[in-house]
Amino acid sequence: MTDLSSTEPKAHRSLKVADARTKKRNAAEKRFRAYGIVAIAIGGLFLLALTYNILKAGLPAFTQYVVELEVTLTQDEFDAAESQMLKTAAYTDIFIGNFEANLAERGVAVPYDADAIERLLGKVGGDIRSYYRENLDDIGQPVTFQLQTSSRVEGYFKGRVNRDTIVDSRFLMGSDLDIVDALRDSGVLTSRFNWDFITGKDSGVDNPGGAGIGASAIGSLFMMLVVLFLSLPIGVAASIYLEEFAPKNRLTDLVEVNISNLAAVPSIVFGILGLSVFIQFAHLPQSAPLVGGLVLTLMTLPTIIISTRASLKSVPPSIRDAALGIGASKMQSVFHHVLPLAMPGILTGTIIGLAQALGETAPLLLIGMVGFVAREYPDGVVSGFMDPNSAMPAQIYTWAARADVGFYEKAWGGIIVLLIFLLLMNALAIFLRKKFERRW
Amino acid sequence: MTDYKISAKGVQVYYGDTHAIKDVDVDIEDKTVTAFIGPSGCGKSTFLRTLNRMNDTIDICRVQGDIRIDGEDIYDSAVDPVQLRAKVGMVFQKPNPFPKSIYDNVAYGPKIHGLARNKAELDEIVESSLRKAALWTEAKDRLNAPGTGLSGGQQQRLCIARAIATAPEVLLMDEPCSALDPIATAQVEELIDELRQSFSVVIVTHSMQQAARVSQKTAFFHLGNLVEYGETDKIFTNPEDPRTESYISGRIG
């Protein structure tokens, strides 16, 4: 029989030796940490793979290949070309004539073939003509042009085709590649950063080399302005009312539930709403950044309201008590004390909402903000909220859907530009949060 | 009949279905410190918050009965609670300075109530309030430092300075020393004693020693009832109600 009050000493156990229970707990903790690290590693790996793919496919879009050539166009040549039926073709002929002489002058030995040159530099006629029409004073003066090669030649340099896989077509013949190589080796044909891609507008379906994302970036910018100036005041006012002033009853409960539900509504639904309300009913112009901005405002509002309410809720009630306790009115306590403390959260929520809106494509397709050829705009710059335009994600979508493989890299390049904008916006959100937090 | 500063008759407070304050009658004198004591949950803080209508901010709270300050019914529909709270200041249990500078903390009340015509007058109010709250010597060189950077005791004195800067006539204090160490407590208690010269002070406290030290009148609350109310000396030495005696001697609570 065991005696409870036995004086037998309890076996001494060192703290340095873990007992079975402790070992089990420690092992479980180690396992959990390992799971966490594995999860993060997997996430990081995916991110890395994604970044690598995007950069690999998209970076070529930022390079273009140009031929440098000095041209002196005489007044007679200009007048003659302008009087022709096919004006750009006339300029192309002038250029090709000059080109041969110029190459000989520079001592570049190229197996010369006028048809091949025309294929390699398909757009030169148009480029030269539009230059002289804008700079009439330069007629008769020597002008150095950097003329873009056709997208097929770019495809050769960027590895889309090589001598074995090339299929002869009216765009590029296998035999043309000898000329291309010779031009490059002699330094006449060089590569440079593709500013046209950053600043330019969309191009025709057969000219991926001339496509740029600039015009649609401006469209996105106009839309974001509309979204910012509508959704921030409306969203913040709605949240302050709901959070601080509204009586708690069935009606406000209903409003609250519906705001949460709106945040989960597919964006295409907002697009069809915008189509029927803003375009068909209110007769706002199709494809206008104003309409796009209105639709995206509807989409962004729930996000802003939810995050604003969350940050208002997180302000300690003692601050409200303190203000009310010395005779501040409800509104003074909110605007003088609660709102400044909630500001970092509100701004972060707003910028995240804007970033979401910036990347949104589906609703824009429905209101006609899909990529277009900006031929109607000689200057190429889209000038306002009412002018038809595209937006970056819609432009990317358009490029991805085009048949010419040259647009493939444009789509990826566009994604790089879009991601840079998103990163900048997130950086701004972090900066603002830090700045407002430091005030107290 | 004496003119009381605050006179409450038949006060009932409900939180939803809970009957938190049951038919309380209390008359509070001017320029006196009145202590509310009692075990946790007895309703003393709730009753204190009815005196400046801070309970209005709680949706489910209902107040019935008659509470008069200087003879005016403060629950009359014509009374603006914002004006009432400027007249009846409040200091809370946990120090809650605004996340602004010391100066702005004190100056905020006078600013919104228009008590100062210019910067010089505002400076004067800030200085005199900080002096009255015994914080001036510590704070005068760092008026632009954040109020939240002070120690707990200093923060509470800052809150007191903030409350008296609006020139209230009554000061309600809800366990103002519960978050403070003994030295800070002693400073605040000394302060309360000085404030009695200018205001009527009502203080809720868990510490019977504190009630005995600072107050002239004491009210003992139990389960929502006002059990006993009278001179502090009498309550602590010769209570009439057996429940008061049990509480004071530590048998209930």
Side-chain angles (χ1 to χ4, degrees), chain A residues 248 318-319 321-329 332-333 336-337 341 439-440, chain B residues 54 57 59 82 85-86 89-90 92 96-100 108 112-113 162 166:
Chain A
K248 302 274 172 286
S318 65
I319 295 293
D321 281 350
L324 294 178
I326 51 173
S329 69
Q332 284 171 329
S333 96
H336 294 169
H337 301 289
L341 291 183
R439 265 184 33 194
W440 48 296
Chain B
M54 279 301 277
T57 58
D59 284 331
V82 168
R85 289 183 203 130
M90 187 153 192
F92 297 84
N96 55 354
F98 298 129
K100 297 173 186 274
Y108 180 69
I112 59 170
H113 296 301
R162 182 178 66 189
T166 57

Side-chain angles (χ1 to χ4, degrees), chain B residues 47-206:
Chain B
F47 184 71
L48 189 77
R49 289 167 71 95
T50 62
L51 298 181
N52 68 345
R53 291 184 59 173
M54 279 301 277
N55 281 334
D56 286 14
T57 58
I58 301 165
D59 284 331
I60 55 163
C61 182
R62 280 181 299 129
V63 178
Q64 292 170 1
D66 185 64
I67 301 176
R68 288 174 186 276
I69 292 183
D70 293 334
E72 274 184 329
D73 181 2
I74 61 168
Y75 280 86
D76 191 287
S77 58
V79 168
D80 187 338
V82 168
Q83 272 179 354
L84 169 71
R85 289 183 203 130
K87 185 169 167 173
V88 183
M90 187 153 192
V91 175
F92 297 84
Q93 184 173 359
K94 230 179 95 203
N96 55 354
F98 298 129
K100 297 173 186 274
S101 71
I102 294 175
Y103 182 94
D104 288 339
N105 260 284
V106 184
Y108 180 69
K111 258 188 213 162
I112 59 170
H113 296 301
L115 299 183
R117 269 169 310 193
N118 51 44
K119 179 85 170 77
E121 277 187 20
L122 193 61
D123 287 350
E124 210 178 293
I125 293 176
V126 171
E127 182 178 339
S128 71
S129 305
L130 284 171
R131 272 188 200 286
K132 275 185 219 158
L135 194 60
W136 178 247
T137 41
E138 289 149 88
K140 66 171 189 281
D141 296 325
R142 46 195 283 212
L143 288 176
N144 289 317
T148 39
L150 296 170
S151 75
Q154 289 172 326
Q155 284 190 20
Q156 193 61 300
R157 277 179 282 151
L158 178 62
C159 292
I160 294 172
R162 182 178 66 189
I164 60 190
T166 57
E169 294 169 29
V170 179
L171 194 57
L172 308 177
M173 303 178 115
D174 191 356
E175 298 181 41
C177 300
S178 66
L180 304 186
D181 70 12
I183 297 166
T185 302
Q187 284 169 326
V188 172
E189 282 177 6
E190 213 171 292
L191 183 58
I192 292 170
D193 201 49
E194 278 167 34
L195 295 177
R196 180 162 67 95
Q197 316 298 322
S198 338
F199 318 111
S200 163
V201 179
V202 184
I203 176 172
V204 164
T205 177
H206 266 296

